[in-house]
Amino acid sequence: KAGVTQTPRYLIKTRGQQVTLSCSPISGHRSVSWYQQTPGQGLQFLFEYFSETQRNKGNFPGRFSGRQFSNSRSEMNVSTLELGDSALYLCASRSVLGRLRAFFGQGTRLTVV
Amino acid sequence: GIQVEQSPPDLILQEGANSTLRCNFSDSVNNLQWFHQNPWGQLINLFYIPSGTKQNGRLSATTVATERYSLLYISSSQTTDSGVYFCAVGLTNAGGTSYGKLTFGQGTILTVHP
């Protein structure tokens, strides 16, 4: 089985712009979660989607949003980028509700200048 | 929310040595996983171990849920074991639906010298 695929791998954006990151889960996995990793805050949960519905949300401003499509692929969007949004964004997939083991993609490294 | 504390923060070993990494958590959990972050940033799932003991090759893990800690053992360490090891925990919500939110510790940076 192919693993979790995140695109793009690297991204440079300017303050004030918006960005969309993509995550394709492992085939058959229906849950997708997003995490932000920074040197100062470590790994922090952004949100989780299952069956196209957001099931849980972390403590991030409304500039961070996401969605999930019927094929389980997910996108997250960050609007009005700030320098502090520079981070590694990681996506994790798991099979179904009740199965908790998470598998992560290689991440998207976002740099805001 | 749940607090997760990992120790030691840094660990330097010679190849062939054994090590124990510890994860303490502040509340009851029913979801505990260990990850290894490789140099390219990807988190590799080592164990899903909310309780009990598991072994996978040179790695093993033990979680004592009632005492709120988990241990990751690395035996006969190799240079390829270098990287950051994370413990992550979660709790099924009151409605019984198993949401996947994980709270991560700050990690243990392991360096194995040849």
Side-chain angles (χ1 to χ4, degrees):
Chain A
K1 271 187 184 179
V4 179
T5 302
Q6 291 189 246
T7 56
R9 293 289 314 279
Y10 303 92
L11 207 49
I12 300 176
K13 289 286 188 178
T14 303
R15 271 183 304 174
Q17 287 186 313
Q18 73 165 13
V19 66
T20 299
L21 313 181
S22 178
C23 172
S24 293
I26 293 171
S27 178
H29 284 197
R30 296 169 61 192
S31 167
V32 173
S33 299
W34 289 89
Y35 293 81
Q36 181 197 64
Q37 185 176 25
T38 60
Q41 299 298 316
L43 277 150
Q44 294 186 286
F45 172 79
L46 280 158
F47 25 65
E48 178 181 21
Y49 287 87
F50 176 78
S51 293
E52 302 177 61
T53 301
Q54 187 179 91
R55 299 288 178 165
N56 207 344
K57 189 178 191 307
N59 189 24
F60 278 83
R63 300 185 298 106
F64 292 81
S65 63
R67 59 177 175 169
Q68 187 180 34
F69 301 95
S70 59
N71 62 357
S72 296
R73 189 177 71 86
S74 177
E75 289 181 348
M76 69 162 281
N77 183 277
V78 188
S79 62
T80 319
L81 284 165
E82 301 177 359
L83 295 179
D85 297 332
S86 294
L88 179 65
Y89 290 89
L90 292 160
C91 162
S93 81
R94 59 188 184 93
S95 60
V96 295
L97 291 178
R99 297 280 184 96
L100 298 173
R101 190 170 185 179
F103 298 90
F104 282 81
Q106 291 185 295
T108 294
R109 191 167 296 278
L110 171 65
T111 302
V112 182
V113 298
Chain B
I2 300 173
Q3 304 298 313
V4 183
E5 185 177 312
Q6 290 186 243
S7 60
D10 296 276
L11 188 57
I12 301 173
L13 301 173
Q14 288 297 127
E15 207 166 25
N18 302 327
S19 61
T20 301
L21 282 58
R22 186 177 180 101
C23 170
N24 293 332
F25 42 95
S26 60
D27 289 298
S28 297
V29 300
N30 58 8
N31 180 3
L32 190 145
Q33 303 182 42
W34 283 96
F35 297 90
H36 176 216
Q37 189 164 38
N38 66 24
W40 298 273
Q42 186 173 10
L43 287 167
I44 307 299
N45 193 302
L46 300 175
F47 293 103
Y48 167 69
I49 185 165
S51 63
T53 298
K54 289 186 178 179
Q55 181 159 5
N56 184 2
R58 296 182 296 102
L59 302 181
S60 64
T62 295
T63 297
V64 184
T66 53
E67 297 188 22
R68 300 180 184 171
Y69 74 88
S70 182
L71 302 173
L72 177 68
Y73 305 97
I74 305 174
S75 64
S76 304
S77 57
Q78 301 175 357
T79 56
T80 52
D81 295 331
S82 297
V84 187
Y85 289 81
F86 289 101
C87 167
V89 304
L91 181 64
T92 303
N93 75 345
T97 303
S98 299
Y99 294 158
K101 174 185 175 180
L102 291 170
T103 299
F104 283 78
Q106 289 301 306
T108 292
I109 302 172
L110 175 64
T111 304
V112 181
H113 291 302

